[in-house]
Amino acid sequence: YNAIDPINAPKMFFLVITAFVCGSLGVFFRKELRLAELKVHVILLLLFLLQMLIVMFFSGSNVSVQFFGTFGRNTGFLTYFSLAIIFYFSAHASINGSTKYLLNSLTVVLTISGVYGGIQALGLDPIPWDNIFSPVIGFLGNPNFQSAFIGILGTFAFTLIFDSSLGRMRRSLLSLLMIFTLFGIYSTNSWQGFFNLAAGIGVALVLLLFRINQTKLAAATLSIGVLGSIIVALGILNFGPLAPILTKASLAARRLYWEAAVNLMGKEPLLGIGFDGFGDWYRRSWPGVSGVTDTAHNVPLDIGASGGFPLLVLHLAIIGFALLSIIKVVKRKGDFDVYFAAIVAAWVAYQAQSIISINQLGLGVWGWSLTGL
């Protein structure tokens, strides 16, 4: 009721506490950690951490701001360090067979967030948010984030409907949850959730078709999905048949933000401009530009602008490593299951969101967790 930032600061607090509890337990039970099986993870994370430290101390930006992140974003060194720990222990949980516990928590989070969004849509929210956008903001403070969040978790619920081991009651509940998901995205008046949901469901269908040996149909579905993604991407860039639909003001502004991030990487290729420094540098990248922003609205570009090309390459290497793992599991058809497909679907939905939006803490924690899984 009286906090200046009731969204990001509490999320950062719990993120950091969770990460450091996991890290402390990892040190205490280090003999049980299966480091040999996660050596690539460790190498990538150590290099990522090293580059973050170099950026924080030598980029020339304020160290305190870089450590905690700027007000309202909090995507500084401490946040990414915590996300890296979450990533590692999510991978470790997957090896130890704890995946279903984490995935069940996804269902719980989707249900709670969806119900609260529904309450907001009906105008029954008891909390007097100071919000100029749609009233449906969930626990994320912005309808775009709520839409993306529901879309990401909705792909998970959709995929689990195809689990043959589930009873009729649970399948019915998941189907009802999917309907509620569509209503939740629609009520935010933000198309991001539908974009994420379509990307995740498309990938889930491809994986499920591979599972039942419908290889040709899976390849055709994948081809249609890739073609559709290219058309959407061109539309966002003001090309192709979807350009008149997708070139609304918010997307036009995003193109400026993306170009600014690329310009900043060109100016500071090795160290970047420092964590959460985009707001200070945006107008320097575009002399005479109107408006202000404190983020590139694209997670990879934001990381690249903050930490230079080395940090961007390491971030893309982590994503590429996850993608390689997905391909390996798909080839091992005997190990393939619906829960794996659900993880991949939600992961793809998050990656789709990360291309057009911000690394909001409530989204980022699931993105890094799903990457680890």
Side-chain angles (χ1 to χ4, degrees):
Y1 287 86
N2 56 12
I4 297 175
D5 181 7
I7 300 293
N8 292 282
K11 289 184 186 298
M12 182 183 180
F13 173 79
F14 284 106
L15 170 65
V16 172
I17 293 297
T18 302
F20 275 81
V21 167
C22 288
S24 300
L25 289 173
V27 172
F28 191 74
F29 295 104
R30 57 187 177 276
K31 292 183 179 179
E32 282 74 23
L33 293 180
R34 297 158 75 169
L35 295 175
E37 297 181 50
L38 296 175
K39 59 183 178 181
V40 178
H41 301 68
V42 173
I43 292 171
L44 285 174
L45 291 179
L46 287 177
L47 290 173
F48 192 79
L49 173 61
L50 177 62
Q51 178 63 16
M52 287 199 301
L53 287 170
I54 293 173
V55 169
M56 185 168 65
F57 289 111
F58 298 104
S59 66
S61 296
N62 184 284
V63 174
S64 178
V65 172
Q66 289 191 82
F67 184 77
F68 290 105
T70 191
F71 171 77
R73 296 297 180 205
N74 297 114
T75 46
F77 173 87
L78 186 57
T79 291
Y80 277 107
F81 180 64
S82 300
L83 290 174
I85 294 175
I86 295 293
F87 163 80
Y88 175 81
F89 281 96
S90 296
H92 198 275
S94 183
I95 290 177
N96 285 317
S98 302
T99 301
K100 287 189 177 182
Y101 293 105
L102 288 172
L103 295 183
N104 286 337
S105 70
L106 271 171
T107 307
V108 173
V109 170
L110 172 60
T111 302
I112 295 173
S113 188
V115 168
Y116 183 46
I119 292 173
Q120 292 175 326
L122 296 173
L124 301 175
D125 190 351
I127 301 176
W129 296 103
D130 184 11
N131 171 38
I132 62 174
F133 306 106
S134 163
V136 185
I137 60 174
F139 300 102
L140 299 170
N142 184 294
N144 288 329
F145 300 152
Q146 172 71 357
S147 176
F149 185 66
I150 295 296
I152 292 167
L153 301 193
T155 62
F156 167 77
F158 169 83
T159 311
L160 285 190
I161 293 174
F162 296 91
D163 186 359
S164 58
S165 66
L166 294 181
R168 183 178 299 178
M169 178 61 72
R170 190 166 182 186
R171 282 189 178 184
S172 299
L173 289 174
L174 285 171
S175 300
L176 183 63
L177 190 58
M178 272 306 302
I179 295 173
F180 203 67
T181 295
L182 294 173
F183 170 74
I185 296 173
Y186 175 78
S187 63
T188 63
N189 197 27
S190 170
W191 62 272
Q192 284 189 26
F194 290 118
F195 174 65
N196 301 343
L197 191 66
I201 287 178
V203 169
L205 290 175
V206 169
L207 292 175
L208 292 170
L209 288 170
F210 270 118
R211 183 192 184 202
I212 60 176
N213 295 321
Q214 295 292 329
T215 308
K216 290 184 179 179
L217 186 56
T221 305
L222 181 60
S223 300
I224 293 172
V226 171
L227 179 61
S229 300
I230 292 173
I231 293 174
V232 170
L234 289 174
I236 292 174
L237 296 174
N238 201 21
F239 296 102
L242 294 181
I245 300 174
L246 297 178
T247 53
K248 61 180 184 178
S250 61
L251 287 176
R254 275 172 167 78
R255 287 197 296 273
L256 287 177
Y257 305 155
W258 298 341
E259 291 179 30
V262 173
N263 289 343
L264 291 174
M265 281 190 282
K267 290 181 179 180
E268 302 290 339
L270 296 180
L271 296 178
I273 57 176
F275 291 105
D276 268 2
F278 196 85
D280 297 328
W281 283 78
Y282 174 62
R283 291 199 174 197
R284 302 185 205 180
S285 67
W286 285 109
V289 70
S290 60
V292 293
T293 181
D294 56 6
T295 175
H297 288 75
N298 177 295
V299 175
L301 289 180
D302 207 34
I303 290 175
S306 296
F309 282 104
L311 197 64
L312 173 62
V313 169
L314 289 168
H315 173 72
L316 295 178
I318 292 172
I319 295 174
F321 182 42
L323 183 60
L324 180 62
S325 300
I326 292 169
I327 294 171
K328 286 183 176 181
V329 174
V330 171
K331 289 182 177 179
R332 295 199 312 263
K333 292 185 178 179
D335 296 336
F336 184 83
D337 61 20
V338 174
Y339 278 92
F340 167 76
I343 293 172
V344 176
W347 180 79
V348 169
Y350 170 77
Q351 298 304 329
Q353 176 271 336
S354 72
I355 296 174
I356 58 173
S357 192
I358 295 164
N359 199 21
Q360 208 269 356
L361 299 186
L363 298 172
V365 67
W366 289 111
W368 283 73
S369 298
L370 290 166
T371 303
L373 291 178

